[in-house]
């Protein structure tokens, strides 16, 4: 149901008590709740609690739970538990208090609730809720930030407390219900997870995320489904490739989009994109580059003026996406090649790791410019991406050598420079890249070989991380199973209780090991990444 | 290019008359003179002539400072709105900016001296390398502040510039000892801090200076002694060497050697590159900077 000024008010169920104040209003800056708003919310909740304490009985608690599963299709999945966590502890304390009070008749309770609801609604009519973007689009924004009130658990609650566990199970169930309602399926974790990484998801490639989706998918656009499958099966891999594919798919989505009546394109389209993004992050966690691209698109969409006609708006958005791809990816790689070629001299022996589209581009360009060098490609299991890089370089005619990463310290004395690609550059100067990169940087440092990282500026992210544990990606553990001479060792790894397989995807390299970062803005030391971020923010 | 001949004369005379003037300052002064006498019809032509003049200056004196000073000069004078329809008006604006730039950089050495001398404690033993006018200014300021300290200077072959430095310090009544270049490791345990000048400060925060500086930096790191560099801001240059080999040849050797000698492998380079990991602090007229802050300042200066 829509308000008079077109804002969507979700989840209002007249039969039950509290109104869900989850209005999805995407204002231009996407501000979070300001301090005053948070305080106001807290005061209101306290007031509400006080009013409820007088007449609340146990039957009301069930009613609240029921209303919690009211469908809100365009709501991002990870947000809902955060918001439910707010009312849930409130009810817990209330129900404890109300347990002793005598239960009033149901009709009386309902009437009182309706009266309170009306009064609350009028008081909250003018309040805005801050931009509640999809949590997955923000680079790892904590769900706590989106919670209006941070509730502290009472001191005596233990993790294995059966009551707390039951509550958690109920919360997850609610989340599942909400998921099914919003047509974004939750993938279940597969296999035993090593305890250090138990906070991350580990999915199996054999159970695709599309198993639970109905055909035809009504909420999720088919090209998004296809993209998600391509991500989860590893058909599209590599930071640039994923971002470009995402942007092209979004172009298709915008093309097929039609504004429903009484809706504004700028707000509705953003709401439509949120379940797609949560679906994609279920298929494979979003990369920093994809996160930045999504942020850009959402900003562009919300900046569309309301009087713009639909066709014109769509054309504008398509053009924006095209120019983003062109500027940030294609032209950036040209600029980076220009700087990088200055650093390649005749007679160089260059070491590369894995398959980075940018590094391959640089080497091909340098070869075209008649520089005399040879390349050593280092590869590692289970992805063996170095073979793809080898194929591309040999096709150009560059002299290449291929080694596995275990031979690194053997060939490093021959090497004059190391060129590495990056998945993302963090705000404290750490480089996040394919697992194995930090090992190469470490050994190169020990041999005094300069390490150069090539990275476009759209991969710079505001996140700060000092180790590879706190946030990473776990790939399918079955990839580590080796079949040699017809025998597959580790085939029955699940049956061995004490065995866990860990297939990490990324690792972080400290800035002390990196000598130079080549970006489209120029050559900068690793410690100057926050300066670039600052300059970028000023530009925007 | 008749103007080029006119350029050399003021440059050489200035350096001869006032040996206290940094070569970059003299170069910029000549560039300003050149600008005043330039007779091109368009702004583009003017810029082209200026770039050519800078190149000619680099050919005479191949130090890093001349090249960086020249480029910064060019950027500074064109960093203003040149939208006037009349060329002579534009030129006047540019000349004004040029004079301003010149005034600023003539004062920079004094600013650096004022900043740095507080880091010299009473009774300190200082080690320095070769002859640097900025370091001399710093030590002069410290002496004027009634601080007692002794200085060790390396001989700095092949031109024995260290002996010149020792003579100047002696004139200031500062106790000074000349040591061999090879004795840096030996003397390091006696000294409290190391102060050197710079010919150029590169993007990574490292410095390019007279050959022997890198050795001194490595020794001071091994002994955990602070290694300070004093440099004016016009010495910031847009280079990013990865190692000693990566420094361009035109800076490593003197200009006349580059022109006459065929096989540079037989020649000895005059400068070396000290990476930022070995430097504790840089004292510039923009303030006291850590090596990682240099890149920040460079981005502000050049972008």
């Amino acid at each position: 149901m829509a308000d008079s000024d077109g804002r969507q008010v979700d989840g209002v169920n007249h039969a039950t008590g509290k109104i869900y104040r989850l209005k999805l209003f995407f204002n231009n800056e996407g501000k979070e709740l300001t301090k005053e708003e948070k305080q106001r919310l807290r005061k209101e909740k306290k007031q509400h609690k006080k009013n409820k304490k007088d007449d609340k009985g146990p039957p009301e608690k069930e009613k609240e739970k029921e209303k919690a599963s009211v469908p809100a299709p365009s709501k991002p999945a990870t947000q809902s538990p955060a918001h439910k966590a707010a009312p849930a502890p409130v009810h817990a304390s209330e129900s404890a208090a109300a347990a002793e009070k005598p239960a009033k008749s149901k009709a009386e309770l309902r009437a009182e609730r309706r009266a309170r609801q009306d009064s609350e609604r009028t008081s909250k009519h003018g309040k805005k809720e801050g931009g509640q973007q999809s949590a997955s689009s923000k680079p790892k924004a904590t769900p706590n930030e989106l919670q209006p009130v941070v509730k502290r658990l009472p001191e005596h609650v233990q993790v294995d407390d059966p009551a707390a566990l039951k509550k958690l199970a109920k919360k997850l169930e609610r989340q599942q219900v909400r998921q099914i309602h919003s047509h974004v399926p939750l993938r279940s974790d597969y296999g035993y997870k090593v305890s250090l990484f138990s906070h991350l998801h580990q999915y199996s490639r054999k159970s695709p995320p599309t198993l639970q989706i109905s055909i035809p998918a009504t909420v999720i656009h088919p090209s998004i489904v296809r993209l998600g499958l391509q991500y989860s099966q590893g058909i599209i891999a590599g930071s640039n490739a994923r971002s470009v594919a995402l942007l092209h798919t979004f172009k298709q989505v915008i093309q097929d989009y039609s504004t429903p009546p009484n809706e504004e394109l700028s707000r509705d389209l953003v709401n439509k994109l949120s379940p797609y993004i949560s679906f994609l992050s279920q298929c494979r966690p979003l990369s920093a580059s994809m996160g930045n691209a999504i942020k850009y698109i959402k900003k562009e969409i919300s900046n569309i003026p309301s009087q713009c006609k639909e066709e014109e708006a769509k054309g504008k958005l398509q053009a924006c996406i095209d120019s983003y791809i062109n500027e940030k990816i294609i032209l950036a790689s040209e600029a980076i090649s220009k700087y990088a070629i200055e650093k390649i001299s005749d007679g160089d022996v260059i070491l590369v790791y894995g398959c980075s589209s940018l590094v391959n581009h640089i080497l091909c360009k340098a070869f075209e410019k008649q520089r005399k060098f040879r390349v050593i490609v280092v590869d590692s299991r289970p992805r063996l991406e170095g073979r793809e890089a080898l194929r591309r370089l040999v096709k150009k005619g560059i002299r290449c050598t291929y080694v596995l990463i275990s031979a690194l310290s053997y060939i490093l004395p021959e090497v004059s420079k190391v060129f590495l690609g990056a998945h993302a550059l963090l705000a404290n100067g750490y480089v996040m890249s394919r697992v194995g990169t930090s090992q190469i940087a470490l050994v190169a440092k020990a041999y005094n070989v300069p390490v150069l990282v090539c990275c476009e500026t759209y991969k710079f992210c505001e996140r700060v991380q000092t180790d590879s544990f706190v946030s990473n990606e776990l790939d399918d553990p079955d990839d580590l199973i080796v079949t040699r001479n017809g025998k597959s060792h580790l085939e029955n790894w699940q049956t061995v209780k004490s065995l866990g397989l860990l297939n990490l995807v990324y690792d972080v390299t400290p800035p002390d090991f990196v000598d130079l970062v080549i970006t489209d803005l120029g050559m900068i030391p690793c410690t100057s990444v926050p300066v670039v971020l600052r300059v970028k923010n000023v530009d925007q | 290019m008749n103007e080029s001949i006119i350029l050399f004369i003021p440059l050489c005379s200035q350096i001869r008359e006032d040996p206290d003037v940094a070569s970059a300052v003299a170069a910029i002064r000549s560039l300003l003179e050149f600008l005043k006498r330039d007779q091109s019809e368009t702004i583009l032509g003017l810029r082209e002539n200026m770039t050519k003049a800078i190149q000619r200056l680099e050919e005479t004196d191949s130090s890093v400072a001349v090249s960086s000073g020249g480029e910064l000069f060019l950027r500074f004078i064109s960093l203003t709105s040149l939208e006037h329809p009349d060329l002579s008006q534009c030129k006047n604006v540019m000349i004004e900016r040029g004079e301003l730039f010149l005034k600023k950089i003539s004062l920079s050495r004094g600013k650096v001296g004022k900043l740095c001398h507080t880091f010299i404690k009473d009774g300190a033993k200082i080690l320095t390398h070769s002859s640097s006018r900025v370091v001399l200014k710093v030590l002069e300021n410290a002496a004027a502040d009634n601080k007692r300290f002794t200085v060790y200077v390396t001989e700095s072959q092949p031109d024995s510039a260290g002996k010149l430095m020792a003579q100047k310090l002696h004139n200031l009544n500062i106790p000074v000892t000349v040591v061999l270049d090879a004795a840096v490791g030996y003397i390091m345990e006696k000294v409290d801090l190391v102060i050197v000048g710079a010919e150029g400060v590169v993007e990574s925060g490292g410095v390019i200076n007279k050959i022997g500086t890198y050795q001194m930096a490595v020794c001071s790191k091994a002994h955990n002694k602070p290694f300070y560099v004093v440099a004016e801001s016009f010495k910031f240059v847009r280079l990013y060497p990865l190692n000693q080999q990566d420094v361009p040849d035109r800076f490593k050797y003197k200009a006349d050697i580059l022109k006459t000698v065929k096989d540079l492998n037989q020649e000895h380079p005059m400068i070396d590159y000290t990476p930022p990991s070995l430097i504790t602090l840089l004292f510039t007229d923009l303030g006291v900077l850590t090596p990682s802050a240099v890149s920040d300042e460079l981005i502000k200066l050049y972008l």
Side-chain angles (χ1 to χ4, degrees):
Chain A
M1 48 165 274
D3 255 349
S4 54
D5 51 348
R7 264 180 266 158
Q8 201 163 17
V9 179
D10 292 311
V12 176
N13 191 328
H14 287 284
T16 57
K18 251 155 75 170
I19 301 171
Y20 260 82
R21 296 186 230 96
L22 298 174
K23 300 183 210 160
L24 270 168
F25 179 153
F26 191 88
N27 65 28
N28 287 343
E29 288 86 38
K31 281 197 282 266
E32 294 187 327
L33 295 171
T34 58
K35 239 191 185 155
E36 306 93 62
E37 293 182 298
K38 280 195 189 153
Q39 278 182 346
R40 226 186 314 160
L41 263 167
R42 222 173 284 152
K43 269 192 214 134
E44 301 245 358
K45 272 215 159 84
K46 273 202 198 128
Q47 189 67 33
H48 197 65
K49 226 204 285 190
K50 243 184 257 167
N51 294 341
K52 278 210 171 174
K53 252 191 185 162
D54 299 327
D55 50 35
K56 198 127 172 267
E60 180 157 317
K61 189 171 180 199
E62 259 103 69
K63 286 269 165 65
E64 307 276 48
K65 291 256 174 67
E66 209 185 347
K67 135 186 63 81
S69 56
V70 162
S74 47
K75 228 167 293 177
T78 46
Q79 240 191 314
S80 32
H83 279 280
K84 264 181 260 151
V90 177
H91 299 164
S93 49
E94 281 178 62
S95 58
E100 300 113 43
K101 306 244 175 85
K104 285 194 185 162
S105 81
K106 275 222 182 116
E108 278 182 74
L109 289 166
R110 223 178 290 143
E112 281 178 58
R113 253 181 271 137
R114 205 171 288 139
R116 224 182 305 126
Q117 196 178 297
D118 288 329
S119 62
E120 260 185 86
R121 203 187 311 153
T122 51
S123 70
K124 271 181 246 144
H125 184 75
K127 208 162 28 122
K128 279 190 203 159
E129 290 250 329
Q132 309 196 344
Q133 308 149 305
S134 129
S136 52
S137 75
K138 267 211 189 126
K140 312 291 185 228
T142 57
N144 281 331
E145 287 176 3
L146 303 170
Q147 227 174 324
V149 183
V150 176
K151 287 278 175 182
R152 289 177 107 235
L153 278 179
E155 302 279 309
H156 59 271
V157 172
Q158 305 266 1
V159 165
D160 47 358
D161 182 21
L165 277 176
K166 238 201 306 185
K167 228 193 295 168
L168 184 64
K170 276 214 180 92
K171 214 199 296 181
L172 280 173
E173 200 186 287
R174 255 182 272 143
Q175 193 179 332
Q176 295 265 11
V177 166
R178 194 162 276 265
Q179 293 292 3
I180 291 176
H181 273 289
S182 57
H183 299 274
V184 175
L186 262 188
R187 269 173 111 178
S188 49
D189 284 344
Y190 168 73
Y192 170 72
K193 275 195 281 191
V194 175
S195 61
L196 262 177
F197 295 94
S198 52
H199 60 286
L200 301 169
H201 292 291
Q202 183 172 277
Y203 303 128
S204 165
R205 204 161 292 138
K206 290 202 267 287
S207 65
T210 47
L211 275 180
Q212 294 161 331
I213 290 187
S214 57
I215 291 171
T218 45
V219 177
I220 303 193
H221 194 280
S223 51
I224 298 271
V225 177
R226 180 180 62 178
L227 185 68
L229 271 177
Q230 284 172 326
Y231 282 166
S232 67
Q233 302 299 99
I235 298 171
I236 295 185
S239 173
N240 277 346
R242 285 165 71 190
S243 306
V244 172
L246 177 75
L247 289 169
H248 280 301
T249 315
F250 274 175
K251 269 173 70 177
Q252 180 69 40
V253 166
I254 291 174
Q255 184 68 36
D256 296 340
Y257 170 77
S258 52
T259 327
N262 296 336
E263 289 294 342
E264 267 197 47
L265 181 137
S266 58
R267 287 183 204 126
D268 190 56
L269 186 53
V270 174
N271 295 348
K272 284 273 180 340
L273 287 181
S274 306
Y276 301 164
I277 294 165
S278 32
F279 171 72
L280 288 175
S281 63
Q282 284 295 309
C283 299
R284 197 176 157 189
L286 296 180
S287 62
S289 51
M290 287 165 71
N292 285 346
I294 290 171
K295 240 199 273 194
Y296 173 77
I297 290 183
K298 285 194 168 179
K299 190 169 80 90
E300 287 299 316
I301 295 176
S302 63
N303 279 346
I304 300 250
S306 43
Q307 59 267 34
C308 205
K309 281 210 263 290
E310 188 175 315
E311 285 311 313
E312 203 185 308
K314 284 209 241 179
K316 216 197 273 192
L317 285 173
Q318 309 257 15
C320 274
I321 294 182
D322 278 332
S323 79
Y324 186 82
I325 296 179
N326 197 31
E327 272 174 45
K328 306 277 180 176
I329 303 179
I330 299 177
L331 287 180
S333 79
E334 294 295 319
I336 293 177
S337 314
K338 199 165 63 90
Y339 290 120
I341 288 173
E342 290 170 30
K343 286 292 169 203
I344 299 179
S345 23
D346 286 343
D348 261 347
V349 180
I350 297 178
L351 187 135
V352 296
Y353 177 64
C355 181
S356 164
S357 56
L358 188 56
V359 174
N360 291 341
H361 186 200
I362 290 172
L363 293 176
C364 294
K365 272 267 144 51
F367 191 72
E368 278 169 32
K369 287 221 158 67
Q370 314 298 332
R371 290 277 201 279
K372 308 272 178 295
F373 59 93
R374 65 184 180 92
V375 176
I376 298 182
V377 180
V378 176
D379 203 5
S380 70
R381 279 197 67 237
R383 285 173 176 244
L384 291 172
E385 288 171 328
R387 296 188 179 180
E388 173 62 28
L390 191 65
R391 191 183 64 82
R392 289 189 204 170
L393 294 174
V394 168
K395 209 158 73 154
K396 273 276 176 173
I398 304 175
R399 276 176 60 202
C400 297
T401 311
Y402 178 80
V403 291
L404 289 181
I405 196 165
S406 20
L408 190 60
S409 53
Y410 174 73
I411 41 124
L412 254 174
E414 289 181 19
V415 173
S416 62
K417 291 190 178 72
V418 177
F419 272 78
L420 298 172
H423 170 83
L425 232 59
L426 306 176
N428 56 348
Y430 279 64
V431 179
M432 181 182 234
S433 188
R434 188 67 83 216
V435 66
T437 311
S438 74
Q439 195 173 326
I440 299 213
L442 176 71
V443 184
K445 186 75 179 179
Y447 280 90
N448 249 334
V449 175
V451 173
L452 289 77
V453 169
C454 310
C455 181
E456 299 98 332
T457 48
Y458 87 105
K459 288 186 191 159
F460 284 24
C461 76
E462 308 261 328
R463 204 148 47 96
V464 169
Q465 210 179 312
T466 52
D467 59 48
S468 315
F469 304 116
V470 73
S471 139
N472 207 325
E473 191 186 324
L474 293 178
D475 209 357
D476 192 348
D478 289 338
D479 283 349
L480 295 180
I481 298 176
V482 185
T483 306
R484 227 169 247 143
N485 300 329
K487 275 191 287 191
S488 298
H489 307 272
L490 294 179
E491 204 171 22
N492 305 313
W493 68 277
Q494 307 242 38
T495 55
V496 184
K497 283 278 180 288
S498 54
L499 180 63
L501 295 189
L502 183 63
N503 190 357
L504 276 179
V505 183
Y506 298 117
D507 69 13
V508 284
T509 309
D512 328 323
F513 297 151
V514 177
D515 289 297
L516 172 61
V517 176
I518 309 182
T519 68
D520 38 317
L521 290 178
M523 297 192 271
I524 56 171
C526 224
T527 45
S528 285
V529 168
V531 179
V532 172
L533 280 171
R534 202 194 321 145
V535 168
K536 263 206 316 176
N537 288 338
V538 166
D539 282 342
Q540 281 168 359
Chain B
M1 265 195 65
N2 297 329
E3 283 98 12
S4 59
I5 308 171
I6 306 173
L7 255 183
F8 294 141
I9 302 171
L11 177 62
C12 303
S13 64
Q14 271 168 24
I15 295 181
R16 233 181 303 124
E17 279 160 18
D18 194 2
D20 237 4
V21 167
S23 56
V25 179
I28 288 169
R29 224 174 268 166
S30 342
L31 278 174
L32 197 57
E33 286 300 314
F34 179 76
L35 178 61
K36 286 184 188 150
R37 285 176 217 181
D38 182 60
Q39 279 156 17
S40 46
E41 301 289 303
T42 63
I43 291 192
L44 202 59
L46 189 72
R47 278 188 80 91
E48 263 181 44
N49 283 346
M50 293 296 287
T51 335
K52 272 194 232 159
I54 294 175
Q55 273 174 1
R56 293 295 259 143
L57 277 173
E58 279 179 23
E59 279 174 31
T60 337
D61 184 352
S62 67
S63 68
V64 184
V66 168
S67 117
S68 72
E71 204 189 323
L72 276 169
F73 177 73
L74 202 56
R75 276 180 186 267
F76 192 81
I77 59 176
S78 26
L79 203 64
T80 169
S81 102
L82 292 168
E83 298 298 318
H84 310 277
D86 189 9
L87 181 69
S88 57
Q89 243 185 326
C90 289
K91 260 185 79 172
N92 285 340
V93 169
M94 286 171 86
I95 291 172
E96 237 178 86
R97 300 270 300 177
E99 307 262 356
L100 188 64
F101 187 68
L102 199 58
K103 205 173 359 152
K104 254 190 8 169
I105 61 176
S106 320
L107 297 170
S108 52
R109 204 188 285 169
K111 280 193 217 160
V112 177
K114 241 185 284 182
L115 269 177
C116 187
H117 81 270
T118 48
F119 278 71
I120 299 174
K121 297 202 189 70
D122 206 21
K125 297 197 198 64
I126 303 169
L127 175 62
T128 185
H129 184 65
S130 185
S131 170
S132 162
R133 288 171 282 228
V134 193
V135 176
L136 192 64
K137 186 85 180 143
V138 167
L139 296 176
E140 204 183 304
N141 283 9
D145 214 15
N146 290 329
K147 293 215 180 105
R148 284 164 296 184
F149 54 91
T150 54
V151 180
Y152 296 92
V153 190
T154 55
E155 229 180 14
S156 172
Q157 298 293 359
D159 54 3
S160 295
K163 297 212 177 120
L164 206 71
M165 180 77 163
Q167 185 62 40
K168 287 191 221 166
L169 284 169
H170 190 75
N171 294 343
L172 290 167
N173 288 329
I174 296 173
V176 57
T177 317
V178 177
V179 297
L180 290 173
D181 294 340
V184 168
Y186 169 78
I187 204 89
M188 193 54 77
E189 56 185 38
K190 278 202 214 160
V191 300
D192 299 318
L193 66 151
V194 184
I195 305 182
V196 298
E199 296 206 19
V201 180
V202 295
E203 278 188 68
S204 58
V207 291
I208 293 182
N209 198 21
K210 184 82 184 294
I211 188 112
T213 314
Y214 178 50
Q215 216 160 279
M216 199 179 275
V218 173
C219 271
S220 69
K221 184 80 178 196
H223 285 265
N224 283 322
K225 307 283 179 185
F227 186 84
Y228 298 133
V229 174
V230 286
E232 301 100 315
S233 64
F234 61 81
K235 290 183 178 160
F236 282 25
V237 67
R238 292 221 76 177
L239 263 182
Y240 203 125
L242 297 169
N243 47 26
Q244 306 297 337
Q245 303 292 83
D246 220 8
V247 180
D249 277 342
R250 66 182 200 275
F251 296 135
K252 275 203 225 169
Y253 308 99
K254 280 210 187 307
D256 34 0
I257 293 181
L258 278 171
K259 277 188 264 195
T260 53
V261 171
K262 301 289 169 189
D263 184 12
L264 283 172
N265 279 333
Q266 299 297 322
E267 288 303 316
H268 203 278
M270 294 300 289
I271 56 161
D272 64 17
Y273 165 67
T274 307
S277 48
L278 302 173
I279 301 173
T280 324
L281 285 176
L282 284 117
F283 295 90
T284 70
D285 48 326
L286 301 167
V288 182
L289 307 171
T290 58
S292 16
V294 170
S295 166
D296 206 340
E297 292 297 324
L298 266 173
I299 290 177
K300 277 195 243 165
L301 270 178
Y302 275 97
L303 286 178

